[in-house]
Amino acid sequence: MSESDINKLLTDISNLREQLKEKENNLVKLMSNGCENGSNKYCANLNPEDITRYSRQMLVPEVGIDGQEAINNAKVLVVGAGGLGCPASVYLASAGIGELAIIDYDEVELSNLHRQILHNENDVNKAKVDSAFEKLQSINRRIKIVPLKLHADSTTIKELFKNNTYDVVIDGSDNVATRYLLNDVCVFNKVPLVSGSALQLEGQLTVYNYQGGPCYRCLFPVPPPPETVTSCGDGGVVGPVPGVIGVLEALEAIKIIIKSPGVLSGRLLLFDGSITKFRDVKLRTRNSKCAVCGEEPTITDLIDYEQFCGAAAHDKVINIDILDSTDHINVKELSTKIGKNNCLVIDVRPSLQFQMCRLPNTHNIPLTDLKKPESLDKIRNLINEHNLGENGEVYLLCRRGNDSQRAVTEIKRNMPDVTVKFLNVKDGLHGYAMEIDKSFPVF
Amino acid sequence: MKIKVDFSGGAELLFGNQKHHEVDLPVKDKPWLLGDLLFWLKDNLLQDRPELFLQDNSVRPGILVLVNEIDWELMDTINYEIQLNDSILFISTLHGG
Ligand SMILES: [Zn+2]
């Protein structure tokens, strides 16, 4: 099948989908006629459809009529339409949160689908908030959903809080800078912050800034060193883990809205999926010397959070450039050499990534092992086996061409006696996939 | 003195990727303070990059310490006197989503 056939089908499908959406919307409008908000002869404050729709949660005494009305009148901001934000917003929308705003700047990627349950195969490359909006609307057309395709930074968040009063904010973000930003804005506006996070098989959950409880800065006055922060893109994450945490974020938000006494404030819930264990630990109280929520705060307005954390407010990789211009080879040049007798390529990714996919005729020595004497011996042996001679070249390869630069530096430092040249493969395997062979899996 | 030491949230990566440790602290004249334990762990259990565990005589920013599931801030932090069978938990905070 040719590329033009594929494109034509994609266009046809997208047109049909638009038509279907329009018809569905019309149907919902016609069917919900005479079902407007507000009082009616059977129930004072809720309309008949709402009573049926929300009956199963209203039957719970802790929710009841008052709780449901509070939920219907609530305004919640969900930051991130990813692994946490998707499950959280599904439950918030279906519970009837009156206005649900979702902020995210990213587009859907294939590698998101295993955990970001609102997005499907047809949404790849679409804005996450648009994809989320469509699905949430089809779950509950009686609430207002506000998709915000914005990068959450001091400017956008300040503007948002100037124009809106939120009852709860859900932190489903993926980086430290955004976590501090949301904490501070929630302290300034006296809004409880439901904060969840997940990585690999573990999750964490707590509620900050709630009824005199601690804020994020009370616990973490100083941001962590950037090299200690692992993203889902590097460390990986098993889908149900953010699923569990995101669902619990929605539960805490609902509990805050219905004024439940059991909100997870001043406590931290730890979930270890590897042994299926929940642990609930007691946290410190609000710190009277806290820089933002203390008695004499030193931070009274939003700051530059990327600068404060020394890290960008997203979980994407930032490219480095630490070598001389002569220390590189590009993927085109590499592709003409690879597989030949005297071409030695060392892939410095973690061994798990090497097992997932690799170029043929390459050798794996992870960057973290380059300090070990046995790794250096292995490199010496490979150089001999490949008959590289004094002026030979060794090519260092990784995912995006950053760790391979670090590897060049590390090897040069550890093997000053070796005369062959160590070169970085510019743009790494991503570059190879982009320029040489699209069938090489990118992740 | 036997105690339990646990690591989670990625802090275990510095300790041989093992989350749970049964630790037997050697006998000494003065009581074992939590601050002493930090350095004992660094010298005896830590396998990699001490700067990612300790900074300025305490744990590095981003690690929470819990004594029997209670924040060490409520237990006098490094001055807490460790008791037999105590459970000390080091949690590295996660940021992914
Ligand atoms: Zn605070």
Side-chain angles (χ1 to χ4, degrees):
Chain A
M1 189 168 227
S2 73
E3 194 128 325
S4 68
D5 288 335
I6 294 175
N7 284 334
K8 185 176 178 303
L9 265 179
L10 283 173
T11 316
D12 288 352
I13 290 170
S14 141
N15 288 339
L16 286 169
R17 210 171 264 136
E18 283 302 314
Q19 285 179 35
L20 179 66
K21 205 159 61 179
E22 203 185 310
K23 286 182 196 299
E24 279 174 349
N25 283 339
N26 285 341
L27 179 66
V28 171
K29 240 181 246 159
L30 289 171
M31 285 178 55
S32 65
N33 255 354
C35 196
E36 266 69 55
N37 283 329
S39 65
N40 63 82
K41 62 180 171 174
Y42 302 112
C43 176
N45 295 320
L46 292 165
N47 81 28
E49 187 191 316
D50 284 352
I51 289 172
T52 309
R53 180 189 286 262
Y54 305 122
S55 58
R56 294 303 186 271
Q57 69 191 31
M58 283 164 68
L59 287 169
V60 178
E62 284 81 355
V63 180
I65 311 285
D66 291 349
Q68 189 58 50
E69 275 182 46
I71 293 170
N72 290 151
N73 291 324
K75 199 160 158 171
V76 174
L77 174 66
V78 178
V79 181
L84 299 164
C86 284
S89 55
V90 166
Y91 280 101
L92 292 173
S94 47
I97 298 292
E99 185 173 331
L100 192 58
I102 303 168
I103 179 167
D104 200 311
Y105 189 67
D106 283 344
E107 277 98 33
V108 178
E109 293 175 30
L110 194 58
S111 62
N112 298 149
L113 301 190
H114 81 294
R115 67 187 190 284
Q116 304 185 11
I117 53 168
L118 283 175
H119 316 308
N120 63 40
E121 289 175 0
N122 302 314
D123 299 316
V124 172
N125 295 329
K126 207 189 273 182
K128 283 186 184 176
V129 288
D130 293 339
S131 161
F133 176 79
E134 262 176 40
K135 317 303 171 2
L136 295 172
Q137 269 244 301
S138 70
I139 293 172
N140 194 347
R141 282 191 167 75
R142 302 216 17 98
I143 64 167
K144 183 177 172 191
I145 301 159
V146 186
L148 301 161
K149 189 175 192 299
L150 292 172
H151 190 70
D153 59 26
S154 296
T155 316
T156 54
I157 288 292
K158 190 184 254 180
E159 186 68 16
L160 214 51
F161 276 78
K162 203 173 83 188
N163 301 321
N164 297 278
T165 306
Y166 297 108
D167 297 288
V168 184
V169 173
I170 305 266
D171 188 347
S173 71
D174 56 14
N175 66 84
V176 187
T178 307
R179 292 185 183 273
Y180 277 101
L181 164 67
L182 296 178
N183 180 70
D184 291 0
V185 81
C186 284
V187 170
F188 298 149
N189 291 277
K190 299 185 169 54
V191 183
L193 174 63
V194 182
S195 178
S197 57
L199 189 70
Q200 299 190 334
L201 283 161
E202 285 187 61
Q204 298 171 351
L205 175 75
T206 188
V207 176
Y208 291 119
N209 196 37
Y210 180 72
Q211 293 189 349
C215 83
Y216 188 56
R217 277 184 197 267
C218 293
L219 260 68
F220 306 106
V222 180
E227 68 267 29
T228 65
V229 176
T230 310
S231 71
C232 291
D234 284 333
V237 62
V238 177
V241 176
V244 164
I245 301 297
V247 167
L248 289 174
E249 285 191 287
L251 177 61
E252 291 311 305
I254 290 169
K255 280 160 59 189
I256 290 168
I257 291 161
I258 64 172
K259 299 191 169 65
S260 155
V263 173
L264 188 73
S265 161
R267 293 184 290 149
L268 173 67
L269 184 78
L270 306 166
F271 173 57
D272 187 344
S274 70
I275 49 172
T276 317
K277 186 171 174 177
F278 284 98
R279 220 179 337 199
D280 163 15
V281 300
K282 188 176 164 100
L283 294 177
R284 66 200 68 176
T285 49
R286 169 165 289 193
N287 178 3
S288 59
K289 295 194 183 81
C290 176
V292 66
C293 80
E295 276 149 29
E296 286 167 39
T298 51
I299 299 167
T300 52
D301 199 356
L302 298 183
I303 59 173
D304 183 334
Y305 292 89
E306 296 195 332
Q307 192 187 20
F308 173 67
C309 297
H314 55 69
D315 73 341
K316 310 283 181 290
V317 168
I318 292 165
N319 291 325
I320 59 167
D321 184 10
I322 57 172
L323 300 178
D324 291 336
S325 59
T326 51
D327 289 340
H328 302 279
I329 175 175
N330 64 40
V331 287
K332 270 216 174 75
E333 289 171 280
L334 180 77
S335 69
T336 63
K337 294 176 194 277
I338 206 160
K340 291 188 179 150
N341 279 339
N342 60 349
C343 177
L344 171 55
V345 181
I346 298 176
D347 186 327
V348 299
R349 292 176 299 156
S351 55
L352 183 62
Q353 292 188 25
F354 186 77
Q355 286 161 34
M356 284 164 66
C357 56
R358 70 209 152 259
L359 294 183
N361 304 307
T362 58
H363 302 266
N364 182 222
I365 305 176
L367 175 64
T368 46
D369 289 350
L370 285 178
K371 278 195 188 75
K372 297 179 183 165
E374 60 263 37
S375 300
L376 302 178
D377 286 344
K378 195 173 164 190
I379 296 176
R380 277 178 224 278
N381 289 338
L382 285 168
I383 290 173
N384 289 334
E385 280 167 30
H386 285 75
N387 298 316
L388 288 190
E390 275 195 14
N391 300 316
E393 294 176 342
V394 177
Y395 310 116
L396 294 160
L397 179 67
C398 69
R399 225 164 133 185
R400 298 183 184 87
N402 293 318
D403 275 353
S404 49
Q405 292 183 47
R406 296 183 180 103
V408 168
T409 314
E410 183 85 20
I411 292 176
K412 278 185 176 170
R413 183 166 53 226
N414 296 335
M415 304 176 78
D417 54 305
V418 178
T419 57
V420 298
K421 275 197 102 175
F422 292 96
L423 297 181
N424 165 54
V425 179
K426 234 181 151 115
D427 305 324
L429 291 162
H430 272 218
Y432 182 87
M434 215 93 88
E435 287 179 43
I436 309 298
D437 186 358
K438 284 195 172 56
S439 73
F440 188 86
V442 173
F443 62 88
Chain B
M1 180 169 57
K2 289 196 161 111
I3 60 165
K4 294 171 178 58
V5 176
D6 288 87
F7 300 96
S8 84
E12 70 277 10
L13 294 174
L14 302 170
F15 295 86
N17 207 9
Q18 193 184 323
K19 285 182 172 172
H20 182 72
H21 299 254
E22 299 278 339
V23 167
D24 196 354
L25 295 173
V27 180
K28 63 178 186 118
D29 301 341
K30 288 190 204 153
W32 271 93
L33 301 184
L34 200 37
D36 303 334
L37 178 69
L38 297 183
F39 285 93
W40 189 90
L41 289 173
K42 176 181 154 252
D43 295 336
N44 293 279
L45 225 49
L46 187 83
Q47 302 203 345
D48 207 14
R49 308 191 63 185
E51 75 278 9
L52 299 188
F53 181 57
L54 295 186
Q55 245 178 50
D56 306 326
N57 296 334
S58 189
V59 291
R60 66 139 171 96
I63 293 183
L64 281 178
V65 186
L66 297 138
V67 179
N68 301 322
E69 308 211 328
I70 298 171
D71 192 339
W72 76 337
E73 281 288 330
L74 301 169
M75 313 287 276
D76 209 11
T77 64
I78 55 172
N79 303 313
Y80 170 77
E81 231 176 81
I82 298 176
Q83 310 293 314
L84 181 71
N85 294 328
D86 269 355
S87 156
I88 315 290
L89 170 61
F90 296 88
I91 307 166
S92 180
T93 47
L94 306 173
H95 306 93

